[in-house]
Amino acid sequence: MLEEIVGGILATLQVLGALALTFFIPGYVLVNALYPRRGELDREYDTLYRITLGIVLSIAVTVLWSFLLNSFGVSPEGKGYVVGTNIAAGLIGLSVLFFGIGWWRGAYPWMTRVHPSLARAPAPGPSDLLSEEERDHRIRLKLQELATKRERLRRAIKDAERRMQLHSADARGHYEEKRNQARAELKSVEAELRKLEEERAAELY
């Protein structure tokens, strides 16, 4: 009884595996190899497009592989090469090949969870390049704004120090407080400037 149950489960898994290998896996990894960036097929229904194209391409890959096997003619044993073992081996090999190409092109960012050295990023598309240019433009504007603010604070510090020398002790305390506030703000601005410059340098290089 137990053997029959286990045999039934194994047979079911074998059928499911054969269906997935024939109608889904090769085409899906091929789609990822051709279009590694998420949202490249469609911004809203990208996953649905990948699944649909994966099914269609899997059927095409299976048919083409069967044609290739059939072109080899008859084996020395007098049988054709279009048998389940050869078909499965070819589809598995092609799936591994397509997966490797997709990984190389950055289609599987989750591979970094397996090992950091497996991390690959897809090449930026036209829309990504535009967004990078916009982001760089915003960073440059922010850098310019911070640089202007830094110069204003430096002038404020010099002005406060000059006034400290010209006024009495009571007034000197007021300008000393203003100088200290400007120095603290200047320190914060310079730290933000360094951070933005480092981020921009990392993106460029």
Side-chain angles (χ1 to χ4, degrees):
M1 183 66 179
L2 181 60
E3 293 180 357
E4 293 180 357
I5 295 176
V6 173
I9 293 174
L10 292 177
T12 302
L13 292 176
Q14 186 177 6
V15 171
L16 292 176
L19 290 174
L21 189 60
T22 305
F23 295 105
F24 182 69
I25 295 176
Y28 184 76
V29 292
L30 176 58
V31 171
N32 289 338
L34 295 174
Y35 305 99
R37 293 184 297 274
R38 294 300 166 186
E40 190 172 4
L41 293 176
D42 187 84
R43 290 185 178 275
E44 187 174 358
Y45 301 107
D46 185 76
T47 301
L48 179 61
Y49 276 49
R50 290 177 186 275
I51 293 174
T52 305
L53 283 175
I55 294 173
V56 174
L57 289 178
S58 289
I59 296 173
V61 168
T62 302
V63 171
L64 291 175
W65 178 247
S66 299
F67 282 162
L68 179 62
L69 291 175
N70 189 56
S71 67
F72 293 150
V74 181
S75 65
E77 292 80 11
K79 299 179 180 180
Y81 289 96
V82 186
V83 294
T85 303
N86 293 339
I87 293 175
L91 293 179
I92 291 173
L94 289 172
S95 298
V96 172
L97 174 63
F98 296 152
F99 181 87
I101 296 173
W103 164 77
W104 181 258
R105 300 193 66 197
Y108 306 105
W110 53 265
M111 289 291 289
T112 187
R113 300 175 186 173
V114 179
H115 196 278
S117 63
L118 297 177
R120 298 284 301 179
S127 59
D128 297 327
L129 291 174
L130 180 61
S131 62
E132 287 182 4
E133 290 179 359
E134 292 176 350
R135 184 166 58 252
D136 184 64
H137 179 64
R138 288 196 297 268
I139 291 177
R140 283 189 279 110
L141 288 178
K142 184 65 175 178
L143 287 171
Q144 184 177 359
E145 178 185 345
L146 290 173
T148 302
K149 187 176 182 180
R150 179 178 60 183
E151 293 304 316
R152 179 176 58 80
L153 289 170
R154 286 175 175 174
R155 289 195 299 269
I157 292 172
K158 290 181 179 179
D159 182 68
E161 290 176 344
R162 181 178 61 83
R163 291 178 182 273
M164 285 170 58
Q165 296 175 357
L166 297 177
H167 289 77
S168 62
D170 294 337
R172 190 179 300 120
H174 169 71
Y175 289 111
E176 184 177 0
E177 183 179 354
K178 291 185 65 175
R179 182 197 63 181
N180 293 338
Q181 290 177 352
R183 282 180 174 176
E185 192 173 353
L186 177 62
K187 185 177 180 180
S188 175
V189 168
E190 289 179 338
E192 191 172 355
L193 269 170
R194 284 194 299 270
K195 182 180 178 181
L196 283 176
E197 289 171 351
E198 290 173 358
E199 290 178 355
R200 187 163 183 252
E203 290 180 356
L204 292 175
Y205 304 105

